[in-house]
Amino acid sequence: MENYFQIKTLRDHILSRISTATSRIHPFTIFISCIGILLAYLTGIYASGSIHSASRWMGAMLSCTSVITVLQMPSYEESIRPSIMRVVGTFLGAVIAYIYLRLLPFSVVGMLCAVFALEALCMLLDIYKYGRIATITMVIILLVKQMSPDSDPITNCSLRFFESAVGVGVGLGVRWTIEKWNAWRHKLLHMGQEGNQNVDMDTMPLRWGHLRVVIVASLGQLTGGALSTLVGVVLPLMQIFEKSHLSSLTQGVLASMSLVGIMVGSIVIGRRSDERGYLHYFRLSPLLILAGAVVALFSSSIVGLAVGLFVMGFGVGGGYSLDSDYISEIMPRRWRLFMVGVAKASSAVGNVVMAFVCFYILRHWSTAYHSNGLFLLVAILAVIMILSSIRFAESPVWLTVHNRQEEAARAVRYFLGGDVKLGDVATRTSSKTATNDMLRGENLRRVILSGVPWACEGFGVYGVGVFMPTLIMAMGLGKTTSGVEQIATSVELSAYVNIFVAAGFVLGLALVRRWYHVRQQAWGFIGASIGLALLIAAHTMHWPAWVMIVGLIVFELLLNCGPHLVTFILPAQIYPVADRGAGAGIAAACGKAGAVIGVFIMPLLIKWGGITLALGVTASLQIVGAAITLRYGHRIMPPQGMESEWRHDR
């Protein structure tokens, strides 16, 4: 027993040190800085490169250096004058370089003399401490002349001044954005705080802590969407370049492995989290995603890739069973429904971003013999999730249900501030349902309502989504090419179609607080089946390609506006707190079972009956989803207009 407490103390100490270290990481600041450097890089590569291609890399380096130099200043106000002086110094450097190149050929001795003259001039004008960028600019101009002897001095000097000035401007913009963000964040941290009065967790206004929970919890959904898109890109690459003998069955097995992992992970981690708490598994899930991505990244066999996909899926599934729990239990009452929907909608962001990133990579690949390298993108997302989960706490509602009131109060303060009290959350206690009883009586009807439509939706979302590049190529959409270029064009069109996935979520979020959820889900299923019917008709009757694209867009728009959004929301509404992790896990597992069947059988359906059979089966299942929703929805869901009053007190 003594050893146990020593190990626990050591573990808590290590976690505390790690948490302290990671608390110094500010993701938004890093992200905005990366955006600034990207803009500076693009300025050198494309703006200057279009005028003088030979010097584009040196131009990109100069522009990026200017951004980094400005960002070293502690504040926006303090960076204005030094930035102006840097632009002035850069101008002087360009002028000195121009005079030198007009009078003398390049030489090392001449370059050193020019540096001496420029720095003496900067000292004379009292801008020496800001003049380093001037020296950098001049040296780069002289080196570009050495690399390209035929370059025009006026063009060379003008481009370098332009690049440096743009870099300084971008750096100022980044510094201003960071300060405005910090000011807004500080305001949100204290929203609703009135003197020494405590605010109620259920009725308080939104604060930064709420948004932080939504952002961190949404990373799992984003990663899951990105992974499904990535699998749809890797499979055709393997089929064409690496494993040309891949059968339809093998393709289906590989495509479904991550979804099998999600299904199993949702059940296992969902049930375990109800017993041992959310936080441990919330941290474990991204570790599993990272481990699976590493296995897939270095795998040279089908079996190794399948194992990696399963492990990644297991981690994503664990996140699926916890994301909505964290959000629904920490948000103020009036925001719970909407914010859970926002988390689910982030999967569309993963779809779109991953599709465009893959398209960019494929356009710049000469071959695709190392398509497994794309899983590095998932590993990066997993690392971000790990860093975010370290600075997190246990769910206060879970702690309350397990009679750990003091820890629950600390968790509330950690997330939302010292002036926030548990309030009505303290009364949300309920007994845990035995595992065998989760599939009986009222709970069975809950499982049917939350699970079966989710399975029908999962068949459509993943069956079509994962194989969208393959379906696009089979329907003859996009450019008629071959090899990597053919896949790249199909991925590009998939990326544009995925924009309507995001648009569907946005439309669904606009309706979710205004429309009865049973109706929203049912009509979404019906509209998606109509879109597929139009797609089938256009393909069969050889209508113009734009009609097929419209059918695909209607399918994606309405499927994501209705069932893809609402099925994620339902479990947190219909299950009590004590069973919420298990209920959400079972529902997510049902959804992923449908997805597994969809991606497994889709290549076989295409082989047996072509596009018509594959899309016809998908459309039929959407009708089944609508029927189940209407049959059980009115009996279990709260009455219309009462969906926002979530059933926490059962």
Side-chain angles (χ1 to χ4, degrees):
M1 182 63 82
E2 183 179 350
N3 290 336
Y4 169 78
F5 284 112
Q6 289 178 347
I7 294 173
K8 186 177 184 298
T9 302
L10 178 61
R11 183 199 66 184
D12 293 342
H13 177 71
I14 293 174
L15 288 176
S16 176
R17 295 294 296 271
I18 294 175
S19 180
T20 301
T22 56
S23 66
R24 295 191 288 268
I25 299 175
H26 299 283
F28 181 82
T29 301
I30 298 172
F31 176 75
I32 296 298
S33 299
C34 290
I35 294 296
I37 292 174
L38 175 63
L39 292 175
Y41 167 81
L42 295 176
T43 298
I45 295 297
Y46 293 105
S48 300
S50 62
I51 298 174
H52 188 232
S53 177
S55 64
R56 65 186 186 277
W57 297 112
M58 297 292 279
M61 180 182 69
L62 177 59
S63 191
C64 291
T65 301
S66 299
V67 173
I68 296 169
T69 302
V70 173
L71 291 179
Q72 289 179 331
M73 301 302 296
S75 69
Y76 173 73
E77 291 292 335
E78 294 178 82
S79 64
I80 294 178
R81 186 176 184 277
S83 297
I84 294 174
M85 292 298 100
R86 285 188 176 89
V87 173
V88 173
T90 298
F91 177 76
L92 293 176
V95 170
I96 297 296
Y98 176 75
I99 295 173
Y100 172 80
L101 293 176
R102 279 298 186 188
L103 298 177
L104 300 169
F106 175 83
S107 66
V108 175
V109 174
M111 179 179 68
L112 296 177
C113 291
V115 169
F116 182 89
L118 176 61
E119 298 213 348
L121 180 60
C122 289
M123 290 178 181
L124 181 67
L125 298 175
D126 196 23
I127 60 171
Y128 178 72
K129 65 179 180 179
Y130 308 123
R132 292 303 181 185
I133 193 68
T135 305
I136 294 172
T137 302
M138 188 186 70
V139 170
I140 289 179
I141 291 173
L142 298 180
L143 293 177
V144 168
K145 181 62 177 179
Q146 176 68 3
M147 294 165 54
S148 303
D150 297 331
S151 61
D152 179 41
I154 189 65
T155 300
N156 184 6
C157 296
S158 299
L159 287 178
R160 303 298 83 83
F161 171 72
F162 166 76
E163 291 152 359
S164 181
V166 167
V168 170
V170 170
L172 282 174
V174 170
R175 173 58 61 192
W176 179 86
T177 302
I178 291 172
E179 291 203 4
K180 289 297 181 182
W181 161 261
N182 288 331
W184 180 68
R185 178 174 172 269
H186 183 267
K187 181 180 179 181
L188 284 177
L189 281 171
H190 303 283
M191 186 73 73
Q193 186 172 353
E194 299 179 2
N196 296 323
Q197 293 183 347
N198 288 332
V199 294
D200 192 288
M201 182 178 173
D202 280 347
T203 58
M204 67 184 295
L206 281 179
R207 289 184 176 178
W208 166 245
H210 295 114
L211 300 182
R212 177 185 167 217
V213 169
V214 173
I215 292 170
V216 174
S218 297
L219 290 175
Q221 296 291 330
L222 187 148
T223 303
L227 178 59
S228 67
T229 298
L230 183 59
V231 171
V233 174
V234 170
L235 283 179
L237 288 174
M238 292 177 60
Q239 178 72 6
I240 293 177
F241 294 101
E242 299 181 46
K243 310 288 184 182
S244 58
H245 59 282
L246 281 182
S247 64
S248 298
L249 180 62
T250 305
Q251 292 181 58
V253 169
L254 284 176
S256 64
M257 286 308 298
S258 63
L259 298 172
V260 172
I262 292 175
M263 180 178 64
V264 177
S266 298
I267 295 176
V268 174
I269 292 183
R271 193 65 185 179
R272 296 288 291 172
S273 66
D274 283 336
E275 299 171 355
R276 302 191 60 183
Y278 302 167
L279 184 59
H280 295 299
Y281 297 100
F282 193 73
R283 290 170 172 167
L284 175 63
S285 294
L287 289 171
L288 292 173
I289 296 173
L290 178 60
V294 171
V295 171
L297 184 64
F298 294 103
S299 173
S300 58
S301 66
I302 298 295
V303 174
L305 178 59
V307 171
L309 288 169
F310 176 83
V311 175
M312 279 186 282
F314 194 98
V316 171
Y320 280 6
S321 67
L322 297 172
D323 297 341
S324 63
D325 295 345
Y326 259 117
I327 294 172
S328 66
E329 295 174 9
I330 293 176
M331 290 299 114
R333 185 181 296 113
R334 66 187 298 265
W335 286 102
R336 289 170 191 156
L337 187 67
F338 182 80
M339 289 303 184
V340 170
V342 168
K344 182 60 182 176
S346 65
S347 64
V349 178
N351 292 137
V352 174
V353 172
M354 182 61 77
F356 276 112
V357 169
C358 288
F359 168 67
Y360 177 83
I361 292 174
L362 292 176
R363 284 292 299 269
H364 292 80
W365 269 5
S366 57
T367 63
Y369 290 108
H370 304 288
S371 56
N372 285 18
L374 291 172
F375 287 105
L376 179 62
L377 300 172
V378 178
I380 293 172
L381 290 175
V383 170
I384 296 173
M385 292 177 64
I386 292 169
L387 293 175
S388 301
S389 65
I390 291 174
R391 297 169 59 188
F392 227 61
E394 186 60 80
S395 165
V397 174
W398 184 89
L399 291 168
T400 300
V401 169
H402 289 77
N403 298 317
R404 295 160 64 175
Q405 305 292 346
E406 185 177 344
E407 293 178 66
R410 286 202 302 269
V412 170
R413 291 194 296 269
Y414 176 82
F415 281 120
L416 304 176
D419 62 322
V420 182
K421 63 179 181 179
L422 284 170
D424 293 339
V425 178
T427 66
R428 298 176 192 169
T429 57
S430 56
S431 59
K432 184 177 180 62
T433 303
T435 302
N436 294 337
D437 293 333
M438 288 297 292
L439 298 177
R440 295 177 183 173
E442 180 73 8
N443 278 329
L444 177 59
R445 287 188 284 273
R446 290 191 185 113
V447 169
I448 293 174
L449 174 61
S450 61
V452 176
W454 199 337
C456 296
E457 165 260 308
F459 189 101
V461 168
Y462 288 92
V464 174
V466 171
F467 288 101
M468 189 176 293
T470 302
L471 292 171
I472 287 173
M473 288 187 286
M475 289 185 289
L477 299 175
K479 299 178 182 178
T480 305
T481 54
S482 60
V484 174
E485 187 177 358
Q486 182 185 25
I487 298 174
T489 55
S490 65
V491 171
E492 180 183 18
L493 184 53
S494 299
Y496 288 119
V497 171
N498 279 331
I499 292 176
F500 290 92
V501 174
F505 275 118
V506 172
L507 179 59
L509 289 172
L511 296 174
V512 77
R513 300 176 69 180
R514 297 177 174 86
W515 212 12
Y516 189 34
H517 299 155
V518 172
R519 186 178 298 118
Q520 182 175 349
Q521 180 164 299
W523 279 108
F525 273 126
I526 294 170
S529 64
I530 292 173
L532 288 178
L534 177 61
L535 180 58
I536 293 170
H539 177 70
T540 304
M541 300 180 185
H542 305 290
W543 291 349
W546 67 266
V547 180
M548 288 189 282
I549 294 175
V550 168
L552 192 57
I553 287 174
V554 170
F555 166 74
E556 294 288 5
L557 186 68
L558 295 180
L559 184 66
N560 292 283
C561 171
H564 199 188
L565 175 64
V566 178
T567 51
F568 187 72
I569 291 174
L570 286 182
Q573 290 183 275
I574 64 179
Y575 284 100
V577 171
D579 298 322
R580 186 163 297 147
I586 292 173
C590 290
K592 290 307 171 280
V596 168
I597 295 172
V599 298
F600 177 78
I601 203 171
M602 189 63 68
L604 297 174
L605 291 175
I606 295 174
K607 178 181 178 181
W608 295 335
I611 298 298
T612 302
L613 177 61
L615 298 182
V617 171
T618 305
S620 300
L621 287 173
Q622 306 315 297
I623 297 297
V624 172
I628 296 294
T629 300
L630 294 172
R631 171 69 176 81
Y632 287 92
H634 295 287
R635 298 177 58 183
I636 298 176
M637 280 291 294
Q640 184 171 359
M642 297 294 293
E643 298 92 332
S644 61
E645 298 297 326
W646 288 34
R647 301 165 72 176
H648 283 287
D649 55 351
R650 289 180 58 87

